[in-house]
Amino acid sequence: MTDKKNRVFGSEDGIYTDFKEKMTYGDYLQLDTLLTSQKRLSDHHDEMLFIIIHQVSELWLKLIIHEIQAAITSIQQGNFQASFKMLARVSKTQSQIIQAWDVLSTLTPAEYMEFRESLGNASGFQSYQYRLVEFVLGYKTPYILKIYENDPQFHQTLEKAYHAPGLYDVAIQALADHGLSINTDILQRDFSKSYEKDTSVEQAWLTVYQNTNKYWELYQLAEKLVDIEDWFQQWRFRHMKTVERIIGFKTGTGGSSGVHYLKKVLEHYFFPELWEIRSKI
């Protein structure tokens, strides 16, 4: 028996081979469900690529949401070091999503057009998790909620995040908690509205950057936010260029203006003051 095992596993005599009553790797990850969720609607070879890229991206988005929401709680509790670890993980995860566009860009326009009609009106524009990422970062758009009115569970989760403070909101509160002067209207604002830049917030961040030793944790937090925004903009840019490469300036399957819409959102900033102060430090 030992000789037989050694021929298969070398010197790894302790490897388990009997899983009649034990949980396997596949059981733990529910691979039977995960690996049978790629259901092509056409016979085209490249539709498998299209499905997997988007499914993998949704898994990474799930992790990003998980980490940002935990970071928000940590910042509210004053546990900055824990939040830094979570936000650093978000940035690393974002880099993985960006690289996914390089794989999708191997799909040519001619190949995509052979199965595009099978998608109907399904579009990444409708990604529930992508919108949730925007909400937890503080970018709130009311029309997005209407897309999910037919799904009570998704709608409830999005609506909760829509009215809750985002990552930047708790960062601004942290500035105030450290004695920096913040406009009361900003601290007490309606969190269901997208944040708009404020001079008191800009001055507070400028003070932090000019006194990094005194406000070291706030300085670290600011740089973590800049990392996330930087990666997010790179993701948006790669998304836009990949779409342009594959479908040009056609209308998106979900009815959006496609590349035109993606170019427009490139102009949006989640944390505007953190970028503007760089010219004033």
Side-chain angles (χ1 to χ4, degrees), residues 3-277:
D3 289 341
K4 182 178 180 181
K5 184 184 291 186
N6 284 340
R7 286 198 298 274
V8 178
F9 300 113
S11 61
E12 299 293 335
D13 295 332
I15 290 180
Y16 291 103
T17 58
D18 184 359
F19 287 95
K20 292 179 180 178
E21 298 180 1
K22 294 184 178 71
M23 179 177 65
T24 67
Y25 172 81
D27 294 333
Y28 177 66
L29 296 178
Q30 299 186 51
L31 292 182
D32 56 340
T33 300
L34 184 65
L35 298 179
T36 56
S37 296
Q38 296 73 44
K39 303 186 185 301
R40 289 183 292 168
L41 297 180
S42 73
D43 293 328
H44 198 278
H45 173 83
D46 292 327
E47 189 182 355
M48 182 64 75
L49 162 68
F50 193 80
I51 293 172
I52 289 177
I53 284 292
H54 288 85
Q55 288 183 338
V56 168
S57 295
E58 289 292 333
L59 287 173
W60 283 130
L61 287 175
K62 184 172 184 176
L63 180 59
I64 287 173
I65 294 164
H66 176 72
E67 298 296 342
I68 292 178
Q69 289 179 329
I72 288 173
T73 300
S74 294
I75 294 169
Q76 289 174 321
Q77 295 172 346
N79 190 355
F80 288 91
Q81 293 304 314
S83 73
F84 297 157
K85 175 66 177 295
M86 297 163 187
L87 296 177
R89 182 174 292 160
V90 169
S91 295
K92 292 297 184 181
T93 305
Q94 289 175 294
S95 71
Q96 296 299 308
I97 296 182
I98 292 170
Q99 290 179 16
W101 294 121
D102 294 335
V103 182
L104 185 58
S105 65
T106 63
L107 179 67
T108 69
E111 291 162 345
Y112 180 51
M113 292 310 296
E114 291 189 34
F115 65 85
R116 189 186 189 216
E117 287 188 2
S118 301
L119 306 180
N121 295 124
S123 167
F125 186 84
Q126 301 145 12
S127 170
Y128 149 77
Q129 292 197 122
Y130 176 78
R131 298 306 175 181
L132 189 52
V133 168
E134 289 187 329
F135 283 8
V136 297
L137 289 177
Y139 182 49
K140 312 291 179 69
T141 44
Y143 70 89
I144 292 300
L145 292 174
K146 295 181 180 180
I147 298 175
Y148 304 97
E149 287 179 345
N150 65 329
D151 193 318
Q153 181 179 355
F154 286 171
H155 188 272
Q156 183 179 8
T157 301
L158 279 169
E159 191 167 34
K160 181 180 178 180
Y162 183 74
H163 292 285
L167 179 60
Y168 199 43
D169 295 311
V170 298
I172 292 172
Q173 182 63 56
L175 291 171
D177 292 343
H178 280 72
L180 293 159
S181 180
I182 301 294
N183 185 343
T184 303
D185 291 339
I186 295 296
L187 297 175
Q188 299 177 353
R189 75 185 193 86
D190 180 356
F191 296 123
S192 68
K193 307 294 183 183
S194 288
Y195 176 78
E196 295 183 8
K197 61 184 178 180
D198 179 83
T199 54
S200 69
V201 174
E202 180 179 315
Q203 184 56 50
W205 283 125
L206 187 59
T207 300
V208 169
Y209 274 79
Q210 291 173 336
N211 300 272
T212 57
N213 289 334
K214 182 178 180 180
Y215 300 108
W216 182 250
E217 286 189 323
L218 292 175
Y219 173 59
Q220 285 183 289
L221 174 60
E223 286 298 291
K224 289 291 186 291
L225 297 182
V226 170
D227 286 341
I228 289 174
E229 178 124 65
D230 190 350
W231 283 111
F232 204 95
Q233 288 294 77
Q234 291 186 51
W235 183 88
R236 281 172 164 169
F237 179 78
R238 289 296 298 123
H239 184 188
M240 182 269 293
K241 295 305 293 183
T242 302
V243 171
E244 183 178 1
R245 174 172 178 157
I246 296 175
I247 68 168
F249 289 84
K250 294 186 180 75
T251 300
T253 51
S256 75
S257 57
V259 170
H260 294 293
Y261 169 79
L262 296 174
K263 283 186 175 181
K264 182 179 179 180
V265 297
L266 277 172
E267 300 173 358
H268 170 261
Y269 285 90
F270 293 105
F271 321 126
E273 293 88 355
L274 289 175
W275 295 93
E276 295 197 4
I277 63 169

